[in-house]
Amino acid sequence: MFQQEEVIASVHNEEILKTALNISSIKTIFLMHGDILTLKNSIEEIQSVDKKVFLHVDFIQGLATDSKGLQYVAEVLKPEGIISTRGQVIQHAKKHSLLTIQRLFIIDSNALLSGIKNVKSSKPDAIEAMPGLMPRIIKELKKSTDLPIVAGGLIKSRDEIKEAFISGAVAVSLSAFETWFVEKKVLKKKGE
């Protein structure tokens, strides 16, 4: 689904999308904005430059996240996959052969336990743990679910990216484009 130690562009507007499209090291875009009238063009533009796109369906204006809405996403919009905070949406998307990422907001121990329970029920292809500045929590999620973990939210520096990878995140999603420019292998072997 993702390359090891991948930096993913989390895109919230058209201006930032244009930047992400022109950065060769960005292979995946999390599209966090749009509406049903403009999405097809945005997705096609992203895919035309050989980048994968995951659509955060909870944020798309005019898109229902029921089974028919996800069928529309799969058959008409055709992203590689979707992102959602809701397990039921993940299950609908999987029925339509979309890759799925369940976004978890981990604000305390109860949210962590509830998130693990929800993930085991909805069975996404990956988890996006937010905020991404939680090395111990990333390790615990990895151990508890054995799913690829994307660390997202509040990550602003090269050191924070490294820490997420060291903790077990396969990828990091970032909205601040200044942090997209990280060499491919920022993670050093242990002991160096």
Side-chain angles (χ1 to χ4, degrees):
M1 177 182 267
F2 303 111
Q3 297 175 7
Q4 189 66 36
E5 297 184 17
E6 182 172 351
V7 173
I8 297 169
S10 181
V11 174
H12 295 265
N13 63 53
E14 287 301 311
E15 182 180 325
I16 298 299
L17 177 58
K18 290 181 189 337
T19 301
L21 291 173
N22 292 310
I23 300 173
S24 63
S25 63
I26 296 293
K27 303 296 181 201
T28 305
I29 294 176
F30 285 181
L31 195 56
M32 313 297 279
H33 77 287
D35 60 62
I36 60 170
L37 300 175
T38 61
L39 275 178
K40 187 156 179 60
N41 287 339
S42 295
I43 291 169
E44 288 174 351
E45 185 177 18
I46 293 166
Q47 292 170 334
S48 75
V49 293
D50 295 322
K51 297 183 188 300
K52 296 181 286 187
V53 59
F54 286 79
L55 184 60
H56 196 313
V57 294
D58 300 344
F59 293 164
I60 304 307
Q61 295 177 12
L63 180 67
T65 53
D66 59 9
S67 185
K68 287 295 183 185
L70 275 295
Q71 182 179 358
Y72 174 81
V73 170
E75 294 178 8
V76 177
L77 299 178
K78 301 179 182 177
E80 279 68 24
I82 64 103
I83 304 164
S84 180
T85 58
R86 298 176 298 185
Q88 185 174 11
V89 173
I90 298 294
Q91 291 172 340
H92 288 313
K94 290 183 82 55
K95 289 177 187 173
H96 297 290
S97 301
L98 290 163
L99 291 173
T100 57
I101 302 169
Q102 189 158 356
R103 185 180 248 200
L104 301 179
F105 291 98
I106 305 169
I107 58 170
D108 59 21
S109 296
N110 287 333
L112 174 61
L113 294 174
S114 176
I116 290 169
K117 181 180 175 184
N118 289 337
V119 163
K120 288 183 177 185
S121 174
S122 62
K123 298 179 175 39
D125 296 297
I127 298 168
E128 183 178 24
M130 300 200 63
L133 297 172
M134 305 176 300
R136 182 182 62 79
I137 301 304
I138 292 169
K139 289 175 187 174
E140 193 168 334
L141 276 173
K142 183 79 176 154
K143 182 179 175 185
S144 297
T145 67
D146 200 33
L147 290 170
I149 307 296
V150 177
L154 301 177
I155 297 173
K156 298 281 186 194
S157 73
R158 176 192 237 74
D159 289 339
E160 292 168 344
I161 294 168
K162 286 180 187 180
E163 188 63 36
F165 291 148
I166 290 168
S167 300
V170 68
V172 176
S173 67
L174 308 159
S175 59
F177 68 88
E178 308 84 33
T179 55
W180 295 346
F181 301 97
V182 178
E183 67 270 8
K184 177 63 187 123
K185 288 290 181 184
V186 297
L187 180 60
K188 292 185 177 186
K189 293 179 185 173
K190 290 184 179 180
E192 285 188 23

